[in-house]
Amino acid sequence: MKRATAWGFCLLFAGSACLAVDEAADERYRNLLYELRCLVCQNQSLADSDAELAGDLRRRVQDLIDQGMSDKEIIAHLQARYGDFILYRPPLAWRTAALWASPFVLLALTAWLLLRRIRRGHARASGSLSDVERERLKDVLKRGSD
Amino acid sequence: MIRGWLAVAVFAGLVAMLAFGLTRDPSRVSSPLIGLPVPAFQAERLASADEHFDSTALRGEWSLLNVWASWCTTCLEEHELLMRLSQQLALYGINHRDTRDEARNWLQVYGNPYRASAFDEYGEVGIELGVYKVPETFLLDPDGVIRYKHVGALDEEAYQEQILARIREGRP
């Protein structure tokens, strides 16, 4: 409906601004397709997939854009039918907390282990000598001065 | 010593995670519609374009809503079972992305287990139901709530364990 009105204005004014309206809708369409996963060929987005389902879903996305739905509403529309799996970016929620947190937890853990190791190495290198070592050092120095 | 046990534990955890992750079938995606009333949709009936198939009428008894097509070879695998089930359960069909002639012909050749089939020529009803792989079968309770969804050919085991078990549980 919105698109029809836009085209109506185009016919009236034949201005370049109208083309911009259409281009913006096309760009939204393309961007949305890259956000959505095809459930048949699961590693392809709706933009890439040749599956019939992807074609049906592309048509649905275009219809919803034409109906004036926002990107968020369109994504919610498909998510309600196909679940989170249709999203390339999993939503941030409690059930996905482990998924989102694990890289940071692993990074923190590795950093902690690394720091600990470096500090230990440092302590060993610059630390004072043990009694046995001190005796030996004295020995070596004495021999050297003879 | 502790360090050794820690390594063993981490390794065991990794194996457990992989064992869980690698043995799951990634083509089975769980439906967000389970536990919700069947989406409202209207479509032409396969038998006649003048008659309508209304999903809100799917209540009052347990029923199966089966998505099928004449081009779908896997549908033939479950067809015998569906024919048998149609004698004890209300079975409805959604004819997915098909032509009327071919679909009707298919039913004539192999038998028609459905009380009625909706004619979903462009897969629009399919999107409402989150269909991504034909055949799919939905179990609806007497309130029209989706209780289970089976993706792929229905077999005796899935019928007994998933469908019949739920119907028995639901009935006092």
Side-chain angles (χ1 to χ4, degrees):
Chain A
M1 211 49 230
K2 268 197 177 158
R3 179 169 265 217
T5 340
W7 275 111
F9 274 108
C10 283
L11 292 174
L12 274 176
F13 301 111
S16 58
C18 304
L19 277 174
V21 168
D22 222 43
E23 261 169 36
D26 282 351
E27 200 184 319
R28 273 186 60 202
Y29 173 71
R30 276 196 300 271
N31 288 342
L32 268 170
L33 295 190
Y34 281 110
E35 289 285 319
L36 297 165
R37 184 198 306 274
C38 174
L39 282 91
V40 181
C41 2
Q42 300 185 341
N43 282 329
Q44 286 187 312
S45 71
L46 288 188
D48 300 322
S49 175
D50 281 332
E52 283 181 341
L53 175 69
D56 290 350
L57 290 173
R58 281 196 292 267
R59 211 171 51 235
R60 175 65 63 102
V61 168
Q62 184 67 69
D63 284 351
L64 297 177
I65 289 178
D66 291 348
Q67 282 170 31
M69 272 200 188
S70 71
D71 290 3
K72 247 191 192 162
E73 286 168 328
I74 292 171
I75 286 174
H77 177 96
L78 292 172
Q79 199 182 353
R81 287 154 182 78
Y82 287 96
D84 292 345
F85 197 80
I86 200 160
L87 309 174
Y88 259 117
R89 283 185 235 201
L92 190 55
W94 274 115
R95 75 205 129 81
T96 56
L99 181 72
W100 280 96
S102 56
F104 302 106
V105 170
L106 280 176
L107 189 69
L109 197 72
T110 323
W112 178 71
L113 282 173
L114 196 67
L115 269 176
R116 213 175 59 149
R117 179 156 284 210
I118 290 172
R119 266 200 207 127
R120 260 197 203 161
H122 238 48
R124 206 171 291 149
S126 63
S128 46
L129 302 173
S130 67
D131 289 345
V132 183
E133 284 170 334
R134 208 166 281 141
E135 282 303 309
R136 263 172 60 194
L137 182 65
K138 239 186 230 167
D139 243 33
V140 170
L141 288 176
K142 217 188 257 169
R143 237 177 275 155
S145 64
D146 283 345
Chain B
M1 199 55 202
I2 291 174
R3 197 173 267 212
W5 282 113
L6 199 69
V8 169
V10 167
F11 181 71
L14 199 67
V15 167
M17 250 170 68
L18 291 175
F20 176 71
L22 294 177
T23 50
R24 276 163 37 126
D25 181 356
S27 69
R28 301 260 159 118
V29 180
S30 68
S31 171
L33 296 173
I34 289 164
L36 299 178
V38 63
F41 63 83
Q42 277 208 328
E44 287 174 9
R45 276 187 59 173
L46 178 63
S48 149
D50 300 327
E51 287 177 71
H52 280 273
F53 184 102
D54 188 344
S55 70
T56 52
L58 299 174
R59 56 190 61 197
E61 61 185 321
W62 287 87
S63 61
L64 290 181
L65 188 58
N66 175 251
V67 184
W68 66 281
S70 68
W71 47 262
C72 155
T73 46
T74 319
C75 295
L76 279 176
E77 286 174 29
E78 63 176 9
H79 199 69
E80 211 187 297
L81 176 65
L82 293 187
M83 289 300 285
R84 207 148 33 81
L85 294 184
S86 68
Q87 291 165 4
Q88 45 204 5
L89 252 174
L91 232 89
Y92 295 91
I94 291 177
N95 180 233
H96 186 73
R97 288 179 133 275
D98 214 336
T99 67
R100 266 214 163 81
D101 283 347
E102 283 173 305
R104 282 188 197 153
N105 186 46
W106 195 86
L107 290 181
Q108 226 154 38
V109 172
Y110 299 107
N112 183 357
Y114 310 108
R115 289 195 185 171
S117 274
F119 182 52
D120 184 24
E121 191 173 6
Y122 302 108
E124 273 150 4
V125 172
I127 293 180
E128 292 310 310
L129 289 168
V131 170
Y132 63 93
K133 206 176 188 187
V134 185
E136 287 187 10
T137 308
F138 295 85
L139 172 67
L140 308 187
D141 73 10
D143 298 324
V145 172
I146 297 175
R147 297 289 289 274
Y148 170 70
K149 169 179 167 172
H150 186 85
V151 179
L154 194 66
D155 53 25
E156 188 66 41
E157 192 188 337
Y159 170 66
Q160 296 281 348
E161 287 174 12
Q162 303 296 341
I163 291 174
L164 203 57
R166 282 182 171 81
I167 295 176
R168 285 209 178 114
E169 220 174 84
R171 253 183 209 149

